[in-house]
Amino acid sequence: LPYVPRVPSVALLGKVTATTFALERPCCIFNQHANALDSIWLVVAFANATATFRNPSSRADVPPYKQLPTAHSYMTLEMAAATYTCSAPSPAILRVGSDTACRDQATQDPCNGPLPSPGPYRVKFLLMGCHGPKAETRWSRPILLRRALSPSTIDPAPTRHGSDVVVLISILASLGTVLATAVLGALGAKVWGSLCHQDLGTSAFVRRSYRTHHIPPALPQPLPPGCRC
Amino acid sequence: MAKSDDCMRILQGLLVFGNVVIGMCGIALTAECIYFVSDPHGLYPLLEDTENNDIHAAAWIGIFVGFALFALSILGIIGIIKSDRTLLLVYIILMLITFAFEMASCITAATHRDFLTPNIFLKQMLERYQNSEPANNNDKLMIEGVTKTWDKIMLQNHCCGVLGPSDWQEYTSAFRVTHSDADFPWPRKCCAMDEQGLPISLDGCKLGVPGYYNSDGCYDAISGPMNTHAWGVAWFGFAILCWTFCVLLGTMFYWSGIEY
């Protein structure tokens, strides 16, 4: 079949994670070949192992999830053919790797377990009837899963200080210096002045306000009219 | 002489006014710093764990400085009205000490604000959130504090991670050790919740379908209050200091002009 499975192009943040990925559900692809008893499997293989993969001849030969490390491929997501018909109402996304419960069980049932390594993987859909495979899609493009970095690679050091911080510090420092100098200068001048017994009126820093009684100069009094020499 | 008398009177009036303003600003500074110290947004555990809580210390200094400013302004008003040299000398010296403390508080708040980058919170979140192997008891308390704070932030602000939910995908984390990537691409608290506090659609949340998970990062919700805190302490303190500088210079001028 000419269909190529692909990761959905819709913007989904979780469509590719470190151990899972999502696929678009193929609709109406298998209508011509499938009857009600058939099942459709998803073949997941490492990208370099697709050439060596052979379709299993019967359901008993289906490679299970546990064989992925050795056989480099497995089949999962066994669904009835009815789920992929044109009128299927279920969601249009398939999630590969979403079942963590079956990972540890030793059963041979199809297990949609999380993928153990980042891949890259290629997938294809396989239509299996009672007598063996009946149809298959093309292999998808390689799907590479996310690789997570260690948090120790994060550098928490700050970028250089903002310019407003520098302005604030410099203004504050200059204000502090001016104040300190002023106080020291005032105190120093006072101490100097009292030590040297200087005329305080001439000191620049210490001023006294002289409160003088304003004595107007005596005006020449006119002689009383009675005094005549 | 009458002019110099007038000048002195005007200066007196101005200084009294200046001290009244200082007193009011002192009370405002105390109130503001008490508000910040009370941590209304519950972000203090994050700061405490990064060992970078100097802006907290700056706020504590601010409380005491504000109160000291208020008390000293009253002393200053009395000293100026009475024209008492001793009182004013005491006032000037104590004000200088307060000035120095407030300068320290401002500079600390301003410089340490720059340390609070997204990376520091990202690293802390990845290493601490739901960490199941604490090194000692103190570590355990810190981890619990960080986890509770992050859960609260993510629920209240409808956000996930520092820069987005992809933080949990791009980096391994202590959370990843106990929670598998297939089941928990990001913590459950990142899912959109219904009234009972359960995710609306778990599959939608895990796949990242828009509307079923919180796609924004929490950095704005964290840095917003912290910025307000730091700038509130730093710039208000700076404004008070500039005003105090002028008042102090005027007081020193006045002091030197008082007759014995």
Side-chain angles (χ1 to χ4, degrees), chain B residues 77-106:
Chain B
I77 290 174
I78 296 173
I80 288 169
I81 290 179
K82 280 193 174 169
S83 292
D84 184 345
R85 282 187 84 108
T86 328
L87 266 185
L88 282 182
L89 191 62
V90 167
Y91 166 81
I92 288 173
I93 291 176
L94 287 179
M95 263 297 210
L96 278 179
I97 297 174
T98 313
F99 192 93
F101 270 103
E102 181 58 20
M103 231 169 70
S105 162
C106 276

Side-chain angles (χ1 to χ4, degrees), chain B residues 125-202:
Chain B
M125 179 184 81
L126 292 170
E127 288 175 356
R128 296 292 208 186
Y129 181 75
Q130 300 221 11
N131 187 333
S132 51
E133 289 155 26
N136 52 42
N137 218 10
N138 191 34
D139 219 28
K140 190 158 164 301
L141 286 172
M142 295 283 206
I143 287 172
E144 273 169 31
V146 171
T147 304
K148 267 201 222 136
T149 308
W150 267 106
D151 284 341
K152 189 169 68 83
I153 293 174
M154 290 200 283
L155 278 177
Q156 277 180 357
N157 298 293
H158 304 292
C159 59
C160 187
V162 174
L163 301 168
S166 48
D167 290 341
W168 298 105
Q169 285 292 310
E170 280 173 34
Y171 296 97
T172 61
S173 51
F175 173 75
R176 187 59 65 225
V177 167
T178 43
H179 298 80
S180 70
D181 172 79
D183 274 337
F184 297 89
W186 32 77
R188 283 280 180 271
K189 297 281 189 290
C190 291
C191 298
M193 303 284 192
D194 59 15
E195 283 87 30
Q196 276 96 18
L198 298 168
I200 297 177
S201 161
L202 206 49

Side-chain angles (χ1 to χ4, degrees), chain A residues 41 43 53-65 67 71 73-75 108 126 128-133:
Chain A
W41 292 76
V43 181
F53 179 77
R54 295 284 163 263
N55 290 339
S57 48
S58 69
R59 202 187 174 290
D61 293 333
V62 163
Y65 168 73
Q67 275 189 17
S73 62
Y74 71 106
M75 287 170 64
Q108 289 288 87
L126 188 63
M128 296 272 286
C130 308
H131 306 290

Side-chain angles (χ1 to χ4, degrees), chain B residues 195-217:
Chain B
E195 283 87 30
Q196 276 96 18
L198 298 168
I200 297 177
S201 161
L202 206 49
D203 287 328
C205 181
K206 286 191 214 173
L207 261 180
V209 180
Y212 291 100
Y213 74 111
N214 301 324
S215 52
D216 297 325

Side-chain angles (χ1 to χ4, degrees), chain A residues 10-22 93-95 97-101 103 114 146-162 164-165 167-169 171-176 178-180 182-183 186-187 190 200 205-212, chain B residues 1 4-5 8 85 89 92-93 96 99 102-103 106-107 110-112 114-117 119-120 122-123 126-127 164-166 168-173 180-183 185-186 203 206-210 213 231 234-235 237-238 241-242 244-245 248-249 252-253 255-260:
Chain A
V10 184
L12 294 173
L13 196 60
K15 58 185 173 186
V16 175
T17 71
T19 55
T20 69
F21 59 93
I93 308 275
L94 295 171
R95 196 159 178 247
S98 58
D99 191 356
T100 46
R103 173 177 46 185
R146 282 197 196 234
R147 235 172 274 220
L149 300 169
S150 163
S152 54
T153 56
I154 303 174
D155 179 23
T159 51
R160 49 176 196 82
H161 289 302
D164 42 2
V165 172
V167 165
L168 184 143
I169 294 178
I171 292 181
L172 277 184
S174 47
L175 289 186
V178 167
L179 266 185
V183 166
L187 284 177
K190 196 159 112 50
L200 293 165
F205 280 100
V206 181
R207 291 186 307 111
R208 290 182 135 208
S209 64
Y210 285 101
R211 214 180 271 267
T212 56
Chain B
M1 317 313 169
S4 123
D5 236 8
M8 280 308 189
R85 282 187 84 108
L89 191 62
I92 288 173
I93 291 176
L96 278 179
F99 192 93
E102 181 58 20
M103 231 169 70
C106 276
I107 293 178
T111 53
H112 279 270
D114 284 343
F115 279 104
L116 302 175
T117 54
N119 275 352
I120 205 174
L122 182 62
K123 192 165 177 147
L126 292 170
E127 288 175 356
S166 48
W168 298 105
Q169 285 292 310
E170 280 173 34
Y171 296 97
T172 61
S173 51
S180 70
D181 172 79
D183 274 337
W186 32 77
D203 287 328
K206 286 191 214 173
L207 261 180
V209 180
Y213 74 111
W231 289 145
W235 286 105
F238 177 72
L241 284 180
C242 288
T244 309
F245 174 76
L248 271 180
L249 276 186
M252 283 193 266
F253 188 70
W255 177 81
S256 61
I258 298 177
E259 59 186 24
Y260 281 102

